Amino acid sequence: MDGPLGRESALGGPSVPSRLKALVFMLVLLLTSAVGTLCVNGLLMPLLLFRPRLYRLLFDLFIGLWQWQAAGLLEKLIGMKVEITGDEIHSNEQSLIIMNHRTCFDWLYCWSLLLRQSGLWTHKTVVKSPLRHIPGPGWAMQCAAYLFVNRRWEDDENHLKTMMTYYAKLNYKTQILIFPEGTDFNPVSKQRSDAFAAKQGLVPFSYVLHPRTTGFTFLVSQLQQGWKDLPIYDVTIAFPSSFPQNEVELFNGILPGSVHFHVRRHGPADVPRTVDSLSEWCTARWQEKEKRLRSFYENGRFVDAQYGEGSRPQHRNLWLDLCIYAVMFSWYFGTAFVILAVFWWPLLQVVFAAEILLFVGLWYRGSGFDVIQGTSAS
């Protein structure tokens, strides 16, 4: 099995069907997210003034269903297999998920894990700010109140605090995914991580990047203020075969063959409550990930002393398959219906045009619909 950067065998000449699948996958995600967001957000927007919590609940139901169909595309169209070992992520609790950042699409693959465990209805991800302005998916993430960061801490601190206040005032439990490494694992980021390790007197990693703990410690501290019982789920993601590192590789037809997840739950009593201790705790988790991933690439599976076994394939679940197909086809039928309605209903044309102008205006101002939601609660 290739190591983390040894992917030459996985990149050997994608076929025409693979390229076609990748193109269909990207076009469907763009179309369904754009049409769905413009339609649902247009209907729900008045609730922001009078019932903001109801807006949050209803839009998160919508975005959760969209994430279901996106995961369905990955598994049913692309053919991605999923294997999971370790603990189970609980539903209906305020929690934080930390994950190593192997590719640009790890947040997308994580949806296949969550739909099998905790669900996707209150899931949020900390993502880079430029993603919020991608027509369709970016608009959906804005309305879903994802946490966007610029990697300039003086800006990010204020924005994260605003959004944490927004969730707290709504008394809204969220499940937040953060990548403490800050960027995906690639030759350039690996070189920078090694330079950081040398400067700090740390041992360089081979399978992960050294985590930058400022954002992580701040986010945990903010969450612990509102939720005393905050668990943290440590998820390790790995790929035994081919996978796309970025959008260019996906567009060229390099598809994920299989994704493996290992989950460790750390209960509230195991999570420190001071900044320095949290930083050390996070670094320790990444040292564990380095060992876990080394074992994975040597054995082809995750092996954990706590469980004494490797990854267990997720056996075919007829009920889950039926739910995924039902959600997928409902999305495609609904998207087609809305597109036809736009051609026949002038009022819908006006609403869609106004929303597009709003998103473009927010992009021009360097802001987003998530900022409007956050500041409305402050």
PDB file of all heavy atoms in Angstrom, residues 151-183:
ATOM      1  N   ARG A 151      -7.840  32.697   8.029  1.00  0.00           N
ATOM      2  CA  ARG A 151      -6.492  32.356   8.498  1.00  0.00           C
ATOM      3  C   ARG A 151      -5.713  33.616   8.863  1.00  0.00           C
ATOM      4  O   ARG A 151      -4.497  33.657   8.792  1.00  0.00           O
ATOM      5  CB  ARG A 151      -5.747  31.507   7.464  1.00  0.00           C
ATOM      6  CG  ARG A 151      -6.465  30.210   7.132  1.00  0.00           C
ATOM      7  CD  ARG A 151      -5.691  29.350   6.177  1.00  0.00           C
ATOM      8  NE  ARG A 151      -4.505  28.790   6.835  1.00  0.00           N
ATOM      9  CZ  ARG A 151      -3.635  28.012   6.190  1.00  0.00           C
ATOM     10  NH1 ARG A 151      -3.822  27.731   4.908  1.00  0.00           N
ATOM     11  NH2 ARG A 151      -2.591  27.559   6.823  1.00  0.00           N
ATOM     12  N   ARG A 152      -6.450  34.678   9.217  1.00  0.00           N
ATOM     13  CA  ARG A 152      -5.891  35.857   9.878  1.00  0.00           C
ATOM     14  C   ARG A 152      -6.583  35.941  11.229  1.00  0.00           C
ATOM     15  O   ARG A 152      -7.769  36.278  11.309  1.00  0.00           O
ATOM     16  CB  ARG A 152      -6.143  37.132   9.062  1.00  0.00           C
ATOM     17  CG  ARG A 152      -5.395  37.197   7.749  1.00  0.00           C
ATOM     18  CD  ARG A 152      -5.427  38.622   7.169  1.00  0.00           C
ATOM     19  NE  ARG A 152      -6.796  39.072   6.983  1.00  0.00           N
ATOM     20  CZ  ARG A 152      -7.493  38.904   5.858  1.00  0.00           C
ATOM     21  NH1 ARG A 152      -6.937  38.280   4.817  1.00  0.00           N
ATOM     22  NH2 ARG A 152      -8.727  39.351   5.744  1.00  0.00           N
ATOM     23  N   TRP A 153      -5.843  35.618  12.288  1.00  0.00           N
ATOM     24  CA  TRP A 153      -6.489  35.382  13.563  1.00  0.00           C
ATOM     25  C   TRP A 153      -7.230  36.608  14.090  1.00  0.00           C
ATOM     26  O   TRP A 153      -8.282  36.477  14.719  1.00  0.00           O
ATOM     27  CB  TRP A 153      -5.471  34.891  14.597  1.00  0.00           C
ATOM     28  CG  TRP A 153      -6.122  34.582  15.916  1.00  0.00           C
ATOM     29  CD1 TRP A 153      -5.865  35.129  17.121  1.00  0.00           C
ATOM     30  CD2 TRP A 153      -7.179  33.637  16.133  1.00  0.00           C
ATOM     31  NE1 TRP A 153      -6.685  34.599  18.085  1.00  0.00           N
ATOM     32  CE2 TRP A 153      -7.506  33.672  17.499  1.00  0.00           C
ATOM     33  CE3 TRP A 153      -7.881  32.774  15.299  1.00  0.00           C
ATOM     34  CZ2 TRP A 153      -8.495  32.882  18.049  1.00  0.00           C
ATOM     35  CZ3 TRP A 153      -8.887  31.983  15.852  1.00  0.00           C
ATOM     36  CH2 TRP A 153      -9.177  32.048  17.209  1.00  0.00           C
ATOM     37  N   GLU A 154      -6.736  37.812  13.800  1.00  0.00           N
ATOM     38  CA  GLU A 154      -7.421  39.004  14.296  1.00  0.00           C
ATOM     39  C   GLU A 154      -8.824  39.106  13.703  1.00  0.00           C
ATOM     40  O   GLU A 154      -9.745  39.645  14.362  1.00  0.00           O
ATOM     41  CB  GLU A 154      -6.612  40.271  13.990  1.00  0.00           C
ATOM     42  CG  GLU A 154      -6.335  40.530  12.515  1.00  0.00           C
ATOM     43  CD  GLU A 154      -5.099  39.824  12.003  1.00  0.00           C
ATOM     44  OE1 GLU A 154      -4.598  38.941  12.713  1.00  0.00           O
ATOM     45  OE2 GLU A 154      -4.630  40.181  10.895  1.00  0.00           O
ATOM     46  N   ASP A 155      -9.037  38.614  12.487  1.00  0.00           N
ATOM     47  CA  ASP A 155     -10.368  38.600  11.880  1.00  0.00           C
ATOM     48  C   ASP A 155     -11.150  37.367  12.310  1.00  0.00           C
ATOM     49  O   ASP A 155     -12.343  37.454  12.642  1.00  0.00           O
ATOM     50  CB  ASP A 155     -10.268  38.629  10.357  1.00  0.00           C
ATOM     51  CG  ASP A 155      -9.619  39.892   9.830  1.00  0.00           C
ATOM     52  OD1 ASP A 155      -9.743  40.945  10.490  1.00  0.00           O
ATOM     53  OD2 ASP A 155      -8.971  39.825   8.764  1.00  0.00           O
ATOM     54  N   ASP A 156     -10.493  36.234  12.307  1.00  0.00           N
ATOM     55  CA  ASP A 156     -11.183  34.980  12.595  1.00  0.00           C
ATOM     56  C   ASP A 156     -11.698  34.918  14.026  1.00  0.00           C
ATOM     57  O   ASP A 156     -12.786  34.383  14.274  1.00  0.00           O
ATOM     58  CB  ASP A 156     -10.241  33.797  12.341  1.00  0.00           C
ATOM     59  CG  ASP A 156      -9.869  33.680  10.868  1.00  0.00           C
ATOM     60  OD1 ASP A 156     -10.602  34.220  10.034  1.00  0.00           O
ATOM     61  OD2 ASP A 156      -8.822  33.066  10.583  1.00  0.00           O
ATOM     62  N   GLU A 157     -10.951  35.467  14.970  1.00  0.00           N
ATOM     63  CA  GLU A 157     -11.377  35.418  16.365  1.00  0.00           C
ATOM     64  C   GLU A 157     -12.721  36.111  16.552  1.00  0.00           C
ATOM     65  O   GLU A 157     -13.629  35.574  17.197  1.00  0.00           O
ATOM     66  CB  GLU A 157     -10.318  36.069  17.270  1.00  0.00           C
ATOM     67  CG  GLU A 157     -10.689  36.035  18.748  1.00  0.00           C
ATOM     68  CD  GLU A 157      -9.625  36.663  19.623  1.00  0.00           C
ATOM     69  OE1 GLU A 157      -8.697  37.302  19.068  1.00  0.00           O
ATOM     70  OE2 GLU A 157      -9.713  36.518  20.858  1.00  0.00           O
ATOM     71  N   ASN A 158     -12.861  37.304  15.981  1.00  0.00           N
ATOM     72  CA  ASN A 158     -14.111  38.048  16.123  1.00  0.00           C
ATOM     73  C   ASN A 158     -15.273  37.327  15.442  1.00  0.00           C
ATOM     74  O   ASN A 158     -16.388  37.261  15.977  1.00  0.00           O
ATOM     75  CB  ASN A 158     -13.966  39.461  15.546  1.00  0.00           C
ATOM     76  CG  ASN A 158     -13.030  40.326  16.365  1.00  0.00           C
ATOM     77  OD1 ASN A 158     -12.911  40.160  17.577  1.00  0.00           O
ATOM     78  ND2 ASN A 158     -12.348  41.250  15.711  1.00  0.00           N
ATOM     79  N   HIS A 159     -15.000  36.772  14.257  1.00  0.00           N
ATOM     80  CA  HIS A 159     -16.083  36.101  13.534  1.00  0.00           C
ATOM     81  C   HIS A 159     -16.515  34.822  14.254  1.00  0.00           C
ATOM     82  O   HIS A 159     -17.725  34.546  14.380  1.00  0.00           O
ATOM     83  CB  HIS A 159     -15.641  35.766  12.107  1.00  0.00           C
ATOM     84  CG  HIS A 159     -16.701  35.073  11.307  1.00  0.00           C
ATOM     85  ND1 HIS A 159     -17.902  35.660  10.993  1.00  0.00           N
ATOM     86  CD2 HIS A 159     -16.744  33.811  10.771  1.00  0.00           C
ATOM     87  CE1 HIS A 159     -18.653  34.806  10.291  1.00  0.00           C
ATOM     88  NE2 HIS A 159     -17.960  33.684  10.152  1.00  0.00           N
ATOM     89  N   LEU A 160     -15.568  34.027  14.723  1.00  0.00           N
ATOM     90  CA  LEU A 160     -15.914  32.812  15.447  1.00  0.00           C
ATOM     91  C   LEU A 160     -16.690  33.131  16.727  1.00  0.00           C
ATOM     92  O   LEU A 160     -17.668  32.445  17.064  1.00  0.00           O
ATOM     93  CB  LEU A 160     -14.652  32.015  15.783  1.00  0.00           C
ATOM     94  CG  LEU A 160     -13.938  31.347  14.606  1.00  0.00           C
ATOM     95  CD1 LEU A 160     -12.644  30.703  15.061  1.00  0.00           C
ATOM     96  CD2 LEU A 160     -14.836  30.303  13.942  1.00  0.00           C
ATOM     97  N   LYS A 161     -16.288  34.182  17.408  1.00  0.00           N
ATOM     98  CA  LYS A 161     -16.996  34.583  18.630  1.00  0.00           C
ATOM     99  C   LYS A 161     -18.425  35.007  18.302  1.00  0.00           C
ATOM    100  O   LYS A 161     -19.376  34.676  19.024  1.00  0.00           O
ATOM    101  CB  LYS A 161     -16.248  35.723  19.315  1.00  0.00           C
ATOM    102  CG  LYS A 161     -16.820  36.099  20.679  1.00  0.00           C
ATOM    103  CD  LYS A 161     -15.988  37.190  21.337  1.00  0.00           C
ATOM    104  CE  LYS A 161     -14.597  36.687  21.675  1.00  0.00           C
ATOM    105  NZ  LYS A 161     -13.807  37.708  22.411  1.00  0.00           N
ATOM    106  N   THR A 162     -18.597  35.736  17.181  1.00  0.00           N
ATOM    107  CA  THR A 162     -19.937  36.154  16.759  1.00  0.00           C
ATOM    108  C   THR A 162     -20.829  34.959  16.472  1.00  0.00           C
ATOM    109  O   THR A 162     -21.990  34.908  16.893  1.00  0.00           O
ATOM    110  CB  THR A 162     -19.850  37.046  15.503  1.00  0.00           C
ATOM    111  OG1 THR A 162     -19.136  38.241  15.821  1.00  0.00           O
ATOM    112  CG2 THR A 162     -21.240  37.424  15.000  1.00  0.00           C
ATOM    113  N   MET A 163     -20.292  33.977  15.766  1.00  0.00           N
ATOM    114  CA  MET A 163     -21.098  32.811  15.417  1.00  0.00           C
ATOM    115  C   MET A 163     -21.391  31.934  16.629  1.00  0.00           C
ATOM    116  O   MET A 163     -22.490  31.369  16.746  1.00  0.00           O
ATOM    117  CB  MET A 163     -20.397  31.993  14.327  1.00  0.00           C
ATOM    118  CG  MET A 163     -20.190  32.739  13.007  1.00  0.00           C
ATOM    119  SD  MET A 163     -21.696  33.511  12.363  1.00  0.00           S
ATOM    120  CE  MET A 163     -22.706  32.056  12.024  1.00  0.00           C
ATOM    121  N   MET A 164     -20.443  31.815  17.552  1.00  0.00           N
ATOM    122  CA  MET A 164     -20.706  31.065  18.777  1.00  0.00           C
ATOM    123  C   MET A 164     -21.805  31.742  19.603  1.00  0.00           C
ATOM    124  O   MET A 164     -22.651  31.082  20.204  1.00  0.00           O
ATOM    125  CB  MET A 164     -19.420  30.942  19.610  1.00  0.00           C
ATOM    126  CG  MET A 164     -18.336  30.053  19.011  1.00  0.00           C
ATOM    127  SD  MET A 164     -18.854  28.334  18.777  1.00  0.00           S
ATOM    128  CE  MET A 164     -19.183  28.367  17.011  1.00  0.00           C
ATOM    129  N   THR A 165     -21.792  33.078  19.612  1.00  0.00           N
ATOM    130  CA  THR A 165     -22.848  33.828  20.301  1.00  0.00           C
ATOM    131  C   THR A 165     -24.192  33.591  19.633  1.00  0.00           C
ATOM    132  O   THR A 165     -25.228  33.436  20.296  1.00  0.00           O
ATOM    133  CB  THR A 165     -22.519  35.331  20.316  1.00  0.00           C
ATOM    134  OG1 THR A 165     -21.265  35.533  20.966  1.00  0.00           O
ATOM    135  CG2 THR A 165     -23.601  36.124  21.039  1.00  0.00           C
ATOM    136  N   TYR A 166     -24.181  33.560  18.304  1.00  0.00           N
ATOM    137  CA  TYR A 166     -25.406  33.308  17.534  1.00  0.00           C
ATOM    138  C   TYR A 166     -26.010  31.952  17.913  1.00  0.00           C
ATOM    139  O   TYR A 166     -27.210  31.847  18.222  1.00  0.00           O
ATOM    140  CB  TYR A 166     -25.072  33.366  16.044  1.00  0.00           C
ATOM    141  CG  TYR A 166     -26.117  32.802  15.123  1.00  0.00           C
ATOM    142  CD1 TYR A 166     -27.336  33.448  14.927  1.00  0.00           C
ATOM    143  CD2 TYR A 166     -25.869  31.615  14.417  1.00  0.00           C
ATOM    144  CE1 TYR A 166     -28.295  32.925  14.064  1.00  0.00           C
ATOM    145  CE2 TYR A 166     -26.812  31.096  13.552  1.00  0.00           C
ATOM    146  CZ  TYR A 166     -28.025  31.750  13.375  1.00  0.00           C
ATOM    147  OH  TYR A 166     -28.960  31.236  12.522  1.00  0.00           O
ATOM    148  N   TYR A 167     -25.197  30.895  17.907  1.00  0.00           N
ATOM    149  CA  TYR A 167     -25.697  29.573  18.278  1.00  0.00           C
ATOM    150  C   TYR A 167     -26.200  29.554  19.719  1.00  0.00           C
ATOM    151  O   TYR A 167     -27.236  28.949  20.023  1.00  0.00           O
ATOM    152  CB  TYR A 167     -24.601  28.518  18.116  1.00  0.00           C
ATOM    153  CG  TYR A 167     -24.106  28.316  16.717  1.00  0.00           C
ATOM    154  CD1 TYR A 167     -22.739  28.137  16.466  1.00  0.00           C
ATOM    155  CD2 TYR A 167     -24.959  28.273  15.630  1.00  0.00           C
ATOM    156  CE1 TYR A 167     -22.265  27.931  15.183  1.00  0.00           C
ATOM    157  CE2 TYR A 167     -24.487  28.072  14.346  1.00  0.00           C
ATOM    158  CZ  TYR A 167     -23.138  27.903  14.133  1.00  0.00           C
ATOM    159  OH  TYR A 167     -22.661  27.708  12.870  1.00  0.00           O
ATOM    160  N   ALA A 168     -25.458  30.205  20.613  1.00  0.00           N
ATOM    161  CA  ALA A 168     -25.824  30.191  22.031  1.00  0.00           C
ATOM    162  C   ALA A 168     -27.154  30.897  22.275  1.00  0.00           C
ATOM    163  O   ALA A 168     -27.992  30.422  23.052  1.00  0.00           O
ATOM    164  CB  ALA A 168     -24.716  30.842  22.858  1.00  0.00           C
ATOM    165  N   LYS A 169     -27.362  32.042  21.607  1.00  0.00           N
ATOM    166  CA  LYS A 169     -28.613  32.785  21.811  1.00  0.00           C
ATOM    167  C   LYS A 169     -29.814  32.026  21.259  1.00  0.00           C
ATOM    168  O   LYS A 169     -30.929  32.186  21.759  1.00  0.00           O
ATOM    169  CB  LYS A 169     -28.505  34.165  21.174  1.00  0.00           C
ATOM    170  CG  LYS A 169     -27.600  35.114  21.953  1.00  0.00           C
ATOM    171  CD  LYS A 169     -27.773  36.547  21.520  1.00  0.00           C
ATOM    172  CE  LYS A 169     -26.978  37.477  22.417  1.00  0.00           C
ATOM    173  NZ  LYS A 169     -27.152  38.910  22.066  1.00  0.00           N
ATOM    174  N   LEU A 170     -29.577  31.226  20.245  1.00  0.00           N
ATOM    175  CA  LEU A 170     -30.656  30.377  19.734  1.00  0.00           C
ATOM    176  C   LEU A 170     -30.833  29.115  20.569  1.00  0.00           C
ATOM    177  O   LEU A 170     -31.777  28.355  20.339  1.00  0.00           O
ATOM    178  CB  LEU A 170     -30.373  29.982  18.280  1.00  0.00           C
ATOM    179  CG  LEU A 170     -30.385  31.084  17.225  1.00  0.00           C
ATOM    180  CD1 LEU A 170     -30.132  30.492  15.840  1.00  0.00           C
ATOM    181  CD2 LEU A 170     -31.702  31.848  17.232  1.00  0.00           C
ATOM    182  N   ASN A 171     -29.917  28.886  21.526  1.00  0.00           N
ATOM    183  CA  ASN A 171     -29.905  27.654  22.311  1.00  0.00           C
ATOM    184  C   ASN A 171     -29.910  26.450  21.367  1.00  0.00           C
ATOM    185  O   ASN A 171     -30.708  25.522  21.498  1.00  0.00           O
ATOM    186  CB  ASN A 171     -31.097  27.595  23.260  1.00  0.00           C
ATOM    187  CG  ASN A 171     -30.963  26.473  24.278  1.00  0.00           C
ATOM    188  OD1 ASN A 171     -29.861  26.085  24.670  1.00  0.00           O
ATOM    189  ND2 ASN A 171     -32.095  25.934  24.710  1.00  0.00           N
ATOM    190  N   TYR A 172     -28.974  26.491  20.421  1.00  0.00           N
ATOM    191  CA  TYR A 172     -28.961  25.542  19.310  1.00  0.00           C
ATOM    192  C   TYR A 172     -27.726  24.652  19.386  1.00  0.00           C
ATOM    193  O   TYR A 172     -26.594  25.125  19.313  1.00  0.00           O
ATOM    194  CB  TYR A 172     -28.970  26.325  17.989  1.00  0.00           C
ATOM    195  CG  TYR A 172     -29.327  25.508  16.790  1.00  0.00           C
ATOM    196  CD1 TYR A 172     -30.635  25.089  16.583  1.00  0.00           C
ATOM    197  CD2 TYR A 172     -28.361  25.162  15.854  1.00  0.00           C
ATOM    198  CE1 TYR A 172     -30.971  24.340  15.472  1.00  0.00           C
ATOM    199  CE2 TYR A 172     -28.687  24.417  14.737  1.00  0.00           C
ATOM    200  CZ  TYR A 172     -30.003  24.001  14.549  1.00  0.00           C
ATOM    201  OH  TYR A 172     -30.329  23.261  13.450  1.00  0.00           O
ATOM    202  N   LYS A 173     -27.957  23.357  19.530  1.00  0.00           N
ATOM    203  CA  LYS A 173     -26.854  22.412  19.587  1.00  0.00           C
ATOM    204  C   LYS A 173     -26.298  22.177  18.183  1.00  0.00           C
ATOM    205  O   LYS A 173     -27.049  21.864  17.259  1.00  0.00           O
ATOM    206  CB  LYS A 173     -27.323  21.077  20.180  1.00  0.00           C
ATOM    207  CG  LYS A 173     -27.718  21.143  21.643  1.00  0.00           C
ATOM    208  CD  LYS A 173     -28.167  19.775  22.131  1.00  0.00           C
ATOM    209  CE  LYS A 173     -28.570  19.820  23.600  1.00  0.00           C
ATOM    210  NZ  LYS A 173     -29.041  18.495  24.077  1.00  0.00           N
ATOM    211  N   THR A 174     -25.004  22.323  18.056  1.00  0.00           N
ATOM    212  CA  THR A 174     -24.359  22.105  16.773  1.00  0.00           C
ATOM    213  C   THR A 174     -23.300  21.017  16.899  1.00  0.00           C
ATOM    214  O   THR A 174     -22.786  20.745  17.991  1.00  0.00           O
ATOM    215  CB  THR A 174     -23.688  23.388  16.261  1.00  0.00           C
ATOM    216  OG1 THR A 174     -22.770  23.868  17.252  1.00  0.00           O
ATOM    217  CG2 THR A 174     -24.709  24.465  15.951  1.00  0.00           C
ATOM    218  N   GLN A 175     -22.990  20.447  15.772  1.00  0.00           N
ATOM    219  CA  GLN A 175     -21.908  19.467  15.671  1.00  0.00           C
ATOM    220  C   GLN A 175     -20.886  20.071  14.712  1.00  0.00           C
ATOM    221  O   GLN A 175     -21.150  20.192  13.526  1.00  0.00           O
ATOM    222  CB  GLN A 175     -22.450  18.140  15.139  1.00  0.00           C
ATOM    223  CG  GLN A 175     -21.432  17.054  14.937  1.00  0.00           C
ATOM    224  CD  GLN A 175     -22.042  15.921  14.130  1.00  0.00           C
ATOM    225  OE1 GLN A 175     -22.199  16.028  12.924  1.00  0.00           O
ATOM    226  NE2 GLN A 175     -22.410  14.840  14.807  1.00  0.00           N
ATOM    227  N   ILE A 176     -19.755  20.499  15.237  1.00  0.00           N
ATOM    228  CA  ILE A 176     -18.807  21.293  14.459  1.00  0.00           C
ATOM    229  C   ILE A 176     -17.577  20.453  14.112  1.00  0.00           C
ATOM    230  O   ILE A 176     -16.968  19.829  14.980  1.00  0.00           O
ATOM    231  CB  ILE A 176     -18.380  22.552  15.242  1.00  0.00           C
ATOM    232  CG1 ILE A 176     -19.604  23.423  15.533  1.00  0.00           C
ATOM    233  CG2 ILE A 176     -17.334  23.350  14.465  1.00  0.00           C
ATOM    234  CD1 ILE A 176     -19.308  24.625  16.407  1.00  0.00           C
ATOM    235  N   LEU A 177     -17.236  20.463  12.827  1.00  0.00           N
ATOM    236  CA  LEU A 177     -16.037  19.779  12.333  1.00  0.00           C
ATOM    237  C   LEU A 177     -14.940  20.809  12.089  1.00  0.00           C
ATOM    238  O   LEU A 177     -15.161  21.804  11.397  1.00  0.00           O
ATOM    239  CB  LEU A 177     -16.351  19.039  11.031  1.00  0.00           C
ATOM    240  CG  LEU A 177     -15.169  18.487  10.232  1.00  0.00           C
ATOM    241  CD1 LEU A 177     -14.438  17.412  11.022  1.00  0.00           C
ATOM    242  CD2 LEU A 177     -15.646  17.941   8.881  1.00  0.00           C
ATOM    243  N   ILE A 178     -13.760  20.563  12.656  1.00  0.00           N
ATOM    244  CA  ILE A 178     -12.616  21.457  12.461  1.00  0.00           C
ATOM    245  C   ILE A 178     -11.393  20.636  12.090  1.00  0.00           C
ATOM    246  O   ILE A 178     -11.210  19.508  12.574  1.00  0.00           O
ATOM    247  CB  ILE A 178     -12.349  22.313  13.719  1.00  0.00           C
ATOM    248  CG1 ILE A 178     -11.216  23.311  13.468  1.00  0.00           C
ATOM    249  CG2 ILE A 178     -12.054  21.449  14.929  1.00  0.00           C
ATOM    250  CD1 ILE A 178     -10.994  24.297  14.609  1.00  0.00           C
ATOM    251  N   PHE A 179     -10.573  21.206  11.216  1.00  0.00           N
ATOM    252  CA  PHE A 179      -9.309  20.593  10.818  1.00  0.00           C
ATOM    253  C   PHE A 179      -8.173  21.414  11.434  1.00  0.00           C
ATOM    254  O   PHE A 179      -7.774  22.443  10.867  1.00  0.00           O
ATOM    255  CB  PHE A 179      -9.176  20.583   9.292  1.00  0.00           C
ATOM    256  CG  PHE A 179     -10.241  19.799   8.593  1.00  0.00           C
ATOM    257  CD1 PHE A 179     -11.351  20.435   8.065  1.00  0.00           C
ATOM    258  CD2 PHE A 179     -10.132  18.426   8.459  1.00  0.00           C
ATOM    259  CE1 PHE A 179     -12.339  19.725   7.415  1.00  0.00           C
ATOM    260  CE2 PHE A 179     -11.121  17.694   7.808  1.00  0.00           C
ATOM    261  CZ  PHE A 179     -12.232  18.345   7.287  1.00  0.00           C
ATOM    262  N   PRO A 180      -7.653  21.002  12.578  1.00  0.00           N
ATOM    263  CA  PRO A 180      -6.601  21.803  13.233  1.00  0.00           C
ATOM    264  C   PRO A 180      -5.339  21.996  12.399  1.00  0.00           C
ATOM    265  O   PRO A 180      -4.580  22.933  12.642  1.00  0.00           O
ATOM    266  CB  PRO A 180      -6.306  21.000  14.512  1.00  0.00           C
ATOM    267  CG  PRO A 180      -7.573  20.271  14.800  1.00  0.00           C
ATOM    268  CD  PRO A 180      -8.101  19.896  13.441  1.00  0.00           C
ATOM    269  N   GLU A 181      -5.105  21.138  11.410  1.00  0.00           N
ATOM    270  CA  GLU A 181      -3.922  21.315  10.558  1.00  0.00           C
ATOM    271  C   GLU A 181      -4.044  22.560   9.677  1.00  0.00           C
ATOM    272  O   GLU A 181      -3.040  23.110   9.236  1.00  0.00           O
ATOM    273  CB  GLU A 181      -3.728  20.077   9.680  1.00  0.00           C
ATOM    274  CG  GLU A 181      -3.315  18.848  10.472  1.00  0.00           C
ATOM    275  CD  GLU A 181      -3.542  17.568   9.681  1.00  0.00           C
ATOM    276  OE1 GLU A 181      -4.657  17.366   9.165  1.00  0.00           O
ATOM    277  OE2 GLU A 181      -2.597  16.771   9.579  1.00  0.00           O
ATOM    278  N   GLY A 182      -5.269  22.975   9.394  1.00  0.00           N
ATOM    279  CA  GLY A 182      -5.487  24.217   8.663  1.00  0.00           C
ATOM    280  C   GLY A 182      -5.480  24.091   7.163  1.00  0.00           C
ATOM    281  O   GLY A 182      -6.019  24.946   6.468  1.00  0.00           O
ATOM    282  N   THR A 183      -4.894  23.036   6.618  1.00  0.00           N
ATOM    283  CA  THR A 183      -4.857  22.831   5.174  1.00  0.00           C
ATOM    284  C   THR A 183      -4.651  21.353   4.896  1.00  0.00           C
ATOM    285  O   THR A 183      -4.318  20.584   5.807  1.00  0.00           O
ATOM    286  CB  THR A 183      -3.730  23.661   4.519  1.00  0.00           C
ATOM    287  OG1 THR A 183      -3.861  23.622   3.099  1.00  0.00           O
ATOM    288  CG2 THR A 183      -2.351  23.130   4.914  1.00  0.00           C
TER     289      THR A 183
END
